[in-house]
């Protein structure tokens, strides 16, 4: 299939979400409850936040992107602004809060698995009125996540839908979602953990994921593209489901793989590719991401992705 499924091809992508500072500690294994472990590498400090990562991912893959976010106003906020500036994302939709910036503490083990705790800071201050003046056009794509207030995501999704844009929601971290938001979402992109939380159903097997995805459809979203780690992604619609296996790679840090996937997905859609081909682009972007430490180095350009795939 090579049709433009949802959109007039080549329109703009809006990302509404968080920008954060990531403190990443790599150790042989993740600490157990109450345990202290020593890191095996120097602390890695860099930009993050699911919104920032997805916006950078989109830009690196060569698509036009506008990013609506809120930074802090103190030291970490100034760092976040510098990171936005360096990536060409310090546009008119970037607001500033009196609080300090979002921060994430990330533990990664030697198989690349992670644990993340996010202190939202300024991201919690991104209010519905901060996204009310976004001018969506028919055919645009809105990509949002849940590190900002749900009322803000809902406002953006309703406005985008009313303007004829396609709404893609990466429901991370998972949280109960109001009906108004669920009904405005064209494509939801949970990972298996988020899908389980959103539906209250198990997602241990691909078959479980399909059943839980069908439940999410009943709750109001248009389609589900569920990511299932190294196994790739499953596209679930009312007409059936299709699996898209990922590439086999040696993972060093899975942080941001979902963000890279979402960026690839919406860039494929904006280029007029079929949803299946867009999911494959997302899979390739996610696979590249897990081969790098930290998110920023894991967000590839199209050329990097081509070389990466050819090298496997
Ligand atoms: O998805 C990865 C991101 O989640 C990290 O960059 C961290 O900031 C958290 O928001």
């Amino acid at each position: 299939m090579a049709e433009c499924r949802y959109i007039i091809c080549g329109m703009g992508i809006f990302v509404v979400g968080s920008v954060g500072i990531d403190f990443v500690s790599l150790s042989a294994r993740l600490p157990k409850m109450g345990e202290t472990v020593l890191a095996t590498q120097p602390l890695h400090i860099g930009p993050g936040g699911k919104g920032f990562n997805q916006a950078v991912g989109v830009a690196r893959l060569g698509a036009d992107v506008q990013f609506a976010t809120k930074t802090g106003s103190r030291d970490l906020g100034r760092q976040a602004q510098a990171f936005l500036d360096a990536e060409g994302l310090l546009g008119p939709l970037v607001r500033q809060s009196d609080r300090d910036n979002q921060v994430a503490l990330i533990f990664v083990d030697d198989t690349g698995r992670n644990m993340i705790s996010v202190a939202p800071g300024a991201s919690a201050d991104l209010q519905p009125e901060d996204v009310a003046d976004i001018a969506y056009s028919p055919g645009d794509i809105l990509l949002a996540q849940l590190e900002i207030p749900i009322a803000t995501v809902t406002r953006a999704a309703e406005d985008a839908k009313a303007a004829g844009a396609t709404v893609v929601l990466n429901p991370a971290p998972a949280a109960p979602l109001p009906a108004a938001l669920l009904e405005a979402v064209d494509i939801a992109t949970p990972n298996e953990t988020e899908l389980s939380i959103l539906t209250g159903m198990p997602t241990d097997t691909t078959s479980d994921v399909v059943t839980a995805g069908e439940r999410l459809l009943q709750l109001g979203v248009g389609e589900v593209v569920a990511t299932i780690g190294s196994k790739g992604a499953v596209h679930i619609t009312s007409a059936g489901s299709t699996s898209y296996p990922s590439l086999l790679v040696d993972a060093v840090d899975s942080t941001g793989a979902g963000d890279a996937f979402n960026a690839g997905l919406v860039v494929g859609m904006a280029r007029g590719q079929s949803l299946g081909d867009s999911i494959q682009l997302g899979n390739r972007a996610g696979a590249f991401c897990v081969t790098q430490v930290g998110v920023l180095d894991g967000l590839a350009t199209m050329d990097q992705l081509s070389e990466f795939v050819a090298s496997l």
Side-chain angles (χ1 to χ4, degrees):
M1 274 195 307
E3 84 280 4
C4 274
R5 237 179 119 149
Y6 284 106
I7 59 170
I8 301 165
C9 300
M11 302 297 273
I13 297 172
F14 291 88
V15 176
V16 173
S18 59
V19 55
I21 308 293
D22 287 355
F23 293 81
V24 185
S25 178
L26 295 107
S27 47
R29 59 181 176 78
L30 300 173
K32 293 182 191 149
M33 183 75 70
E35 188 191 20
T36 302
V37 296
L38 289 178
T40 50
Q41 294 187 36
L43 183 72
H44 177 96
I45 302 175
K50 295 180 194 302
F52 176 85
N53 297 341
Q54 294 181 20
V56 173
V58 167
R60 292 216 176 144
L61 289 172
D64 284 340
V65 59
Q66 294 192 57
F67 184 33
T69 192
K70 195 164 259 187
T71 70
S73 52
R74 303 179 204 161
D75 285 355
L76 294 174
R78 282 188 283 279
Q79 277 189 42
Q81 293 218 345
F83 285 130
L84 286 164
D85 202 15
E87 298 296 330
L89 294 172
L90 198 54
L93 301 176
V94 176
R95 312 278 197 253
Q96 208 177 42
S97 157
D98 292 337
R99 282 200 255 187
D100 213 340
N101 211 83
Q102 173 170 310
V103 168
L105 304 179
I106 302 177
F107 301 138
V108 180
D109 74 8
D110 63 8
T111 67
R113 292 179 309 169
N114 66 29
M115 295 167 67
I116 304 179
S117 177
V118 172
S123 297
D125 291 340
L126 188 72
Q127 297 300 325
E129 55 268 27
D130 292 320
V131 299
D133 55 354
I134 300 179
Y136 306 98
S137 298
D140 285 343
I141 298 173
L142 167 68
L143 174 60
Q145 321 75 30
L146 299 178
E147 286 182 338
I148 58 173
I150 286 178
T152 306
V153 178
T154 304
R155 174 67 196 258
E158 287 179 329
D159 288 353
K161 182 102 176 169
T166 299
V167 177
V168 179
L169 176 67
N170 176 220
L177 301 179
L181 176 54
L182 288 163
E183 281 159 19
V185 171
D186 294 298
I187 301 174
T189 60
N191 66 23
E192 67 269 59
T193 307
E194 292 146 4
L195 182 59
S196 179
I197 293 170
L198 288 170
T199 60
M201 298 175 72
T203 53
D204 301 322
T205 65
T206 303
S207 164
D208 288 343
V209 167
V210 171
T211 306
E214 287 166 351
R215 174 69 189 134
L216 199 51
L217 298 179
Q218 287 166 1
L219 292 174
V221 310
E223 303 186 23
V224 175
V225 176
T227 55
I228 46 176
S230 59
K231 286 192 276 182
V234 191
H235 179 207
I236 304 146
T237 71
S238 54
S241 64
T242 311
S243 291
Y244 294 89
S246 191
L247 304 168
L248 283 179
V249 295
D250 288 327
V252 296
D253 180 4
S254 58
T255 311
D259 300 328
F261 175 88
N262 276 276
L265 174 74
V266 298
V267 168
M269 291 167 60
R271 289 161 58 119
Q273 296 177 357
S274 69
L275 202 59
D277 286 348
S278 303
I279 292 169
Q280 306 272 35
L281 180 57
N283 274 342
R284 288 197 289 278
F288 178 87
C289 187
V290 304
T291 65
Q292 311 294 315
V293 173
V295 183
L296 202 57
D297 288 345
L299 299 170
T301 63
M302 284 290 184
D303 286 347
Q304 279 177 308
L305 275 192
S306 302
E307 281 172 29
F308 168 66
V309 172
S311 74
L312 294 175

